[in-house]
Amino acid sequence: MSQGASYYPISQLIARIVSESGLRRSEFVRVIGYKNTAKGLRRLDEWLGTGSGDGGCLQKIIDAFHTDPGELEDALAATEAIHQREHQEAVREIEERERRREHAIARTDAE
């Protein structure tokens, strides 16, 4: 994801930090310490797109831009809660599909 951020709170926070820096994305990853711009952009995009990623990248952002610890903690906690809900929903969906499949097999066998 090279443009914008996902709906995850940590993604929104990072996107705001990037925006407020006034830097181009390639400049931003250089400022936070990446010598390999492509690698830095991949790491940044992972956080922006999925709300998770390399902890080293997040630490570099925190160190370079002095993010408010409380705001960061809140964003990470809210993002984790969303990830947990999404995981639970995915598990329920898989279980429901399996029940339907088993039901369809049972009906076919009975006919």
Side-chain angles (χ1 to χ4, degrees), residues 9-10 70-85:
I10 191 65
E71 184 177 19
L72 177 67
E73 187 176 316
D74 290 348
L76 286 168
T79 298
E80 179 60 25
I82 292 169
H83 281 154
Q84 287 178 1
R85 272 196 313 274

Side-chain angles (χ1 to χ4, degrees), residues 90 92-102:
R92 278 193 297 273
E93 186 177 307
I94 290 167
E95 290 170 345
E96 181 60 30
R97 270 190 262 144
E98 183 61 24
R99 278 193 292 278
R100 285 188 204 134
R101 186 182 72 76
E102 289 171 359

Side-chain angles (χ1 to χ4, degrees), residues 12-48:
Q12 295 293 317
L13 175 60
I14 293 169
R16 192 184 83 223
I17 293 167
V18 172
S19 177
E20 289 176 357
S21 76
L23 300 169
R24 291 192 326 256
R25 292 164 31 82
S26 59
E27 294 171 326
F28 183 85
V29 297
R30 290 257 184 215
V31 165
I32 65 173
Y34 284 97
K35 291 183 172 106
N36 181 331
T37 302
K39 181 178 180 179
L41 289 171
R42 282 192 307 272
R43 298 277 166 85
L44 177 62
D45 286 344
E46 185 177 16
W47 278 104
L48 292 172

